[in-house]
Amino acid sequence: MITPLPPGIQLEKVDDRIMTLNVGPQHPGSGHMRLIIKVDGDYIVSCDPDPGYVHRGEEKMAEYRNYIQNIPHLERPVIHDSCNILYPYCLAVEDLLGLEVPERAKYIRVIASELNRCVYTLYWLAIYGIFLGHSTMFMWPVGDREFCIDLLEAMSGARVTHAYFVPGGVRNDLPANFEERCLRQIDYFEKRLKQYEDIFYQNPVLKQRTEGTGVLSRMDAIRLGTTGSVLRSAGVDFDVRKKEPYDVYDNLDFQTQVLKEGDSYARSRVPYLDMLESCRIIKDALKKMPKSGSVRTKLKPNPKGGNDEVYRRVESGRGSLGMYVVSDGKPEPYRVKISVGSFRNLICMPYLLKGEKLGNMPAVYWSLNYWPVEADR
Amino acid sequence: MSSETTIDEKSSETVETKPEIAKKEITPVVEPKFEKSLAEKVVSKFGTIVTIGFIKPNRIRINAKKENILDVATFIRDELNFDHAESVTGVDYPKSKEIEVVYHLGSYTEPQLAKQVLTLATRVPREDIPNPGHDSTRMPSLRDVFYSVEFHERECFEMLGVYFDGHPDNRRLLLPEDWADIPPFRKDFGIKGR
């Protein structure tokens, strides 16, 4: 007797010529996800991404905790970019509860989220480097990341999972001498970034490997709804910080980085250019920040939102990150949806890998700035 | 002000407090013009088929019936130039026996719409004992209108049990293949210890 298959499992016929490869989920270059790749010789015929190995049900968990209890666990999908994933949540809850954020807290938030963008991008750059066989590009960013982490540790007390943002401001004020320390660090960091350009981005081997690989056209980038560096490397000028400025981004001096090529090289270069802009933003914010003042609006215990819903988005290290919070008048949110850049960019993976050589898979995959844990939530 | 405003012998305190209260009530009612014009375009085309959920700065919500959602979405894409979906969310309402499917639409091509997010929502019937894919919890897929909803709708199908008719690839995405419980984002799926 044949045991019936559980729902969801499908059988398929196998072609002699086509071979199916499971890349992942044990992280041999795929992150914590599986890519079901079919190859004809050396060329990829089709690719079926299979995420979900690190799905933790953050959205479900958020329905059982009140607005403040949700802070530490909602940042778990991207612990390297935790300020940026809490940012839209805090903005949404502030809208729901009608909270005003003090001016100084707005600047501190911007500084923290830009530092966090650097931490994330350096980590991603390290992985991108090592998977292309460039081991120096693994060592350098991981080393430089420590300085940014030290700054964030001084701000929040934690190295990676900061839980620094709260609805109504930030958890605590900046430490003494932070400004001086931060400026010194940023100066050093900008010098280092120039060296990255020389050793990595102008490297002829890297260029040969990534230029013209996995090209995404402008129209496809729009049609597939991609976001972040994937979108901006394909020639679309869209950055939430510029288009829908939140907090004090409209006061600050920076530019959106856009490239036209849409290949792996351009996709890997946009986050690097963003880091340079982050340095500019931090310096500008430190200059314009009020030197003293409150950093947190006091909340009532167990605050309740009305019968309302809010969708707020910010620009994270991987693109637009939206939080959709539905409230039904209770202290807990009725529904929280996290719309993340990684999940939105996942859709273009089958299109980009089709027709590529299998050896170019890591170059395309990691250039998408994809973070499996965030995509699964 | 008319000259006949009655200045009674009432204490001046009440006169002072009145305008403050009035201001607070008036301010949220003012609807932003651009957003209102967008919403009116949809209403003038579809009439009573659609209802406006809310009009806030940079946010519009349009509720449509699931039978008309394809037409409304096509109109929003072609006439209002919203070109991609940012997210698709399912919200479970067990009391009214409905599941709401919410599309958040944005635009990259039209600079005016860059800060707008249009919320297109519809409701599908919900069954107490779900059988995903084989019960009445279904609606037309918007994948042919907005290509970017492909993975979002797959997620909504496995997490809420809403089947999307016409979707080319109605498989599970995040959940394990042998998941045999009810869709986990429904309200009657509890978390241990909570």
Side-chain angles (χ1 to χ4, degrees):
Chain A
M1 188 193 153
I2 304 162
T3 47
L5 287 169
I9 291 186
Q10 289 160 355
L11 297 177
E12 59 178 306
K13 281 188 179 173
V14 183
D15 195 332
D16 289 347
R17 200 181 152 78
I18 309 291
M19 194 167 95
T20 308
L21 286 176
N22 282 307
V23 184
Q26 281 87 12
H27 207 326
S30 75
H32 307 286
M33 75 175 293
R34 183 167 65 143
L35 292 169
I36 305 162
I37 290 178
K38 288 186 177 154
V39 283
D40 180 359
D42 202 12
Y43 291 92
I44 296 173
V45 179
S46 74
C47 162
D48 182 19
D50 178 24
Y53 289 88
V54 270
H55 174 67
R56 286 178 285 195
E58 297 285 349
E59 295 169 6
K60 185 81 181 174
M61 280 161 71
E63 293 170 14
Y64 289 83
R65 288 158 176 82
N66 70 27
Y67 289 111
I68 303 300
Q69 286 170 332
N70 271 330
I71 292 170
H73 84 83
L74 274 181
E75 70 180 6
R76 251 51 186 186
V78 223
I79 54 169
H80 301 108
D81 204 3
S82 63
C83 287
N84 275 318
I85 197 167
L86 278 181
Y87 214 147
Y89 175 74
C90 291
L91 292 172
V93 173
E94 278 151 18
D95 278 6
L96 270 179
L97 305 180
L99 295 174
E100 278 291 322
V101 183
E103 195 67 12
R104 185 172 160 84
K106 286 182 183 173
Y107 280 95
I108 295 177
R109 278 185 184 189
V110 167
I111 293 166
S113 81
E114 291 304 324
L115 278 172
N116 229 305
R117 190 188 316 279
C118 293
V119 171
Y120 170 77
T121 311
L122 287 171
Y123 193 81
W124 162 81
L125 194 57
I127 301 173
Y128 186 64
I130 194 69
F131 275 106
L132 295 178
H134 198 300
S135 52
T136 309
M137 211 52 209
F138 178 71
M139 303 296 177
W140 282 14
V142 170
D144 291 337
R145 189 173 153 261
E146 288 298 313
F147 295 101
C148 294
I149 288 181
D150 284 346
L151 284 175
L152 282 160
E153 191 185 6
M155 287 167 108
S156 68
R159 272 171 55 84
V160 276
T161 49
H162 312 293
Y164 188 45
F165 290 17
V166 288
V170 290
R171 200 150 42 79
N172 45 286
D173 206 344
L174 296 177
N177 292 332
F178 178 83
E179 201 170 315
E180 195 187 320
R181 197 176 152 188
C182 189
L183 282 174
R184 197 157 24 118
Q185 170 52 33
I186 294 294
D187 282 345
Y188 167 80
F189 187 51
E190 279 183 327
K191 273 180 213 154
R192 282 292 278 180
L193 283 177
K194 274 173 200 142
Q195 296 175 352
Y196 286 18
E197 171 82 30
D198 295 340
I199 200 171
F200 191 63
Y201 287 106
Q202 300 307 331
N203 187 327
V205 181
L206 177 94
K207 280 192 158 183
Q208 209 176 10
R209 179 101 184 262
T210 55
E211 275 182 347
T213 311
V215 181
L216 186 70
S217 70
R218 185 176 185 276
M219 276 318 292
D220 278 348
I222 293 170
R223 197 173 59 113
L224 295 173
T226 58
T227 177
S229 54
V230 179
L231 181 72
R232 274 180 276 140
S233 67
V236 184
D237 181 5
F238 189 89
D239 188 322
V240 183
R241 289 174 290 176
K242 273 279 182 221
K243 300 289 179 188
E244 194 192 339
Y246 43 96
D247 278 1
V248 287
Y249 273 108
D250 43 352
N251 291 344
L252 298 173
D253 172 36
F254 69 104
Q255 282 174 342
T256 314
Q257 298 297 329
V258 184
L259 295 176
K260 281 177 190 164
E261 291 82 7
D263 54 4
S264 292
Y265 182 74
R267 278 197 294 276
S268 64
R269 201 171 155 73
V270 166
Y272 164 80
L273 297 172
D274 265 359
M275 278 199 288
L276 288 170
E277 289 303 314
S278 291
C279 295
R280 260 176 84 183
I281 295 174
I282 295 170
K283 279 199 240 172
D284 200 28
L286 282 172
K287 212 186 291 169
K288 290 175 181 168
M289 183 170 69
K291 298 299 167 219
S292 60
S294 151
V295 293
R296 186 176 181 178
T297 313
K298 245 195 164 180
L299 276 173
K300 282 181 210 157
N302 242 1
K304 295 181 184 70
N307 269 319
D308 204 357
E309 56 171 66
V310 182
Y311 180 80
R312 287 302 294 263
R313 51 184 181 170
V314 302
E315 186 76 19
S316 74
R318 299 150 308 288
S320 160
L321 206 164
M323 282 269 184
Y324 177 54
V325 183
V326 184
S327 156
D328 65 340
K330 291 207 178 81
E332 299 89 19
Y334 190 74
R335 176 84 162 93
V336 175
K337 165 84 183 182
I338 318 169
S339 162
V340 287
S342 302
F343 190 73
R344 289 172 62 189
N345 288 339
L346 180 65
I347 189 174
C348 57
M349 214 175 278
Y351 296 89
L352 295 183
L353 283 174
K354 202 173 181 178
E356 284 294 334
K357 279 186 179 174
L358 186 65
N360 281 339
M361 192 276 290
V364 175
Y365 176 94
W366 284 104
S367 72
L368 285 174
N369 210 341
Y370 178 75
W371 194 249
V373 194
E374 189 200 41
D376 292 359
R377 285 155 285 148
Chain B
M1 275 176 78
S2 63
S3 59
E4 284 195 14
T5 41
T6 50
I7 303 165
D8 289 347
E9 293 93 330
K10 280 179 187 173
S11 61
S12 58
E13 290 163 21
T14 49
V15 180
E16 276 178 11
T17 49
K18 263 182 188 172
E20 278 180 18
I21 295 164
K23 264 182 196 170
K24 273 177 192 170
E25 282 170 357
I26 288 166
T27 39
V29 182
V30 177
E31 288 169 343
K33 267 183 197 168
F34 180 69
E35 285 82 347
K36 204 175 179 189
S37 72
L38 284 180
E40 272 167 3
K41 271 185 199 169
V42 181
V43 172
S44 64
K45 166 82 179 168
F46 291 101
T48 52
I49 292 173
V50 295
T51 52
I52 306 282
F54 55 70
I55 300 170
K56 293 179 195 169
N58 304 336
R59 299 285 184 270
I60 313 156
R61 182 187 164 108
I62 290 166
N63 303 320
K65 281 181 183 154
K66 65 168 183 164
E67 292 82 19
N68 313 105
I69 187 122
L70 267 175
D71 297 336
V72 179
T74 313
F75 177 79
I76 287 170
R77 183 194 63 181
D78 294 341
E79 304 296 324
L80 304 187
N81 292 328
F82 284 90
D83 52 23
H84 70 279
E86 292 207 350
S87 76
V88 179
T89 316
V91 190
D92 188 17
Y93 292 101
K95 273 179 196 165
S96 56
K97 298 209 167 183
E98 277 173 324
I99 291 175
E100 193 172 64
V101 181
V102 185
Y103 291 83
H104 286 103
L105 308 174
S107 177
Y108 290 142
T109 39
E110 181 77 43
Q112 249 191 326
L113 296 174
K115 52 164 71 172
Q116 306 291 334
V117 175
L118 193 142
T119 313
L120 178 64
T122 185
R123 293 204 169 204
V124 293
R126 173 193 197 274
E127 289 185 17
D128 287 336
I129 301 156
N131 185 6
H134 304 284
D135 56 11
S136 63
T137 312
R138 52 173 65 224
M139 63 172 282
S141 166
L142 293 194
R143 195 255 192 185
D144 290 339
V145 186
F146 297 109
Y147 214 87
S148 40
V149 300
E150 182 175 337
F151 280 15
H152 296 287
E153 283 188 347
R154 273 176 75 181
E155 194 203 340
C156 192
F157 170 53
E158 63 178 353
M159 295 299 178
L160 273 302
V162 182
Y163 188 84
F164 291 93
D165 290 314
H167 192 285
D169 195 11
N170 262 313
R171 286 175 302 145
R172 294 236 172 96
L173 188 64
L174 297 175
L175 286 182
E177 287 159 337
D178 55 351
W179 177 268
D181 212 329
I182 61 168
F185 279 13
R186 292 208 180 183
K187 286 284 173 187
D188 43 4
F189 183 88
I191 298 183
K192 275 178 195 166
R194 289 272 170 179

